[in-house]
């Protein structure tokens, strides 16, 4: 499997990368703009990501803007009825505004509140049939 972790905090990136390592390879982005570029490159190289993990609070482009841009790119490239990449928001923000923006306006697949917890994240990935 191939994962993209977009997280500006080094320790959070390392924890997620280590947590996902038994399931596949992880690419790293330190802001939303880098995440969108890596996503585009993965599609152009015909090696799409199986799952993307986005923090909301990142410099240059935040996670919700990156989420919306990734969904726009998918729709533009694949049209109606395409299978979207699985995107989990992993963030310290747990306000109704952020949850609504991520799920209903952005189209994320899942939303997990920090601190990063292996059982929550891997459990959710198993529940959603991303990993076994």
């Amino acid at each position: 499997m191939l994962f993209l972790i977009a997280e500006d905090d080094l320790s959070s990136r390392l924890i997620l990368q280590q947590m996902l390592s038994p399931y596949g390879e992880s690419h790293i982005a330190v802001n939303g703009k880098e995440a969108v570029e890596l996503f585009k490159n993965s599609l152009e190289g015909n090696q799409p990501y199986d799952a993307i993990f986005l923090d909301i609070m990142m410099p240059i482009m935040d996670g919700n803007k990156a989420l919306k841009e990734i969904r726009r790119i998918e729709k533009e490239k694949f049209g109606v009825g395409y299978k979207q990449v699985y995107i989990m928001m992993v963030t310290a923000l747990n306000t109704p505004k952020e949850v609504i923006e991520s799920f209903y306006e952005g189209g994320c697949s899942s939303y997990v509140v920090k601190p990063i917890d292996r059982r929550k994240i891997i459990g959710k990935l198993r529940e959603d049939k991303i990993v076994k």
Side-chain angles (χ1 to χ4, degrees), residues 42-100:
S42 77
L43 294 179
E44 290 169 6
N46 202 27
Q47 293 184 312
Y49 290 106
D50 295 294
I52 298 173
F53 300 83
L54 291 175
D55 184 17
I56 291 179
M57 293 189 310
M58 293 187 289
I60 301 174
M61 178 187 283
D62 70 40
N64 275 324
K65 288 179 184 163
L67 169 65
K68 290 173 187 171
E69 183 64 10
I70 288 168
R71 293 300 188 219
R72 185 196 65 74
I73 291 165
E74 287 177 321
K75 188 174 183 180
E76 184 178 280
K77 182 167 179 68
F78 302 116
V80 177
Y82 61 94
K83 184 179 183 304
Q84 297 177 327
V85 65
Y86 183 90
I87 299 178
M88 180 183 285
M89 306 306 279
V90 182
T91 182
L93 299 176
N94 191 24
T95 65
K97 175 193 175 295
E98 300 302 334
V99 174
I100 288 169

Side-chain angles (χ1 to χ4, degrees), residues 5-16 28-31 55 57-59 114 116:
I5 299 168
E7 170 66 68
D8 62 325
D9 177 66
L10 176 61
S11 61
S12 294
R13 281 195 310 267
L14 293 174
I15 291 168
L16 280 167
I28 302 296
V30 297
N31 61 60
D55 184 17
M57 293 189 310
M58 293 187 289
K114 291 179 181 177
I116 295 172

Side-chain angles (χ1 to χ4, degrees), residues 14-46:
L14 293 174
I15 291 168
L16 280 167
Q17 191 171 26
Q18 184 275 330
M19 184 185 305
L20 296 169
S21 66
Y23 305 99
E25 179 183 349
S26 295
H27 294 169
I28 302 296
V30 297
N31 61 60
K33 184 177 180 188
E34 283 184 10
V36 170
E37 288 304 314
L38 286 169
F39 176 74
K40 284 183 202 175
N41 291 343
S42 77
L43 294 179
E44 290 169 6
N46 202 27

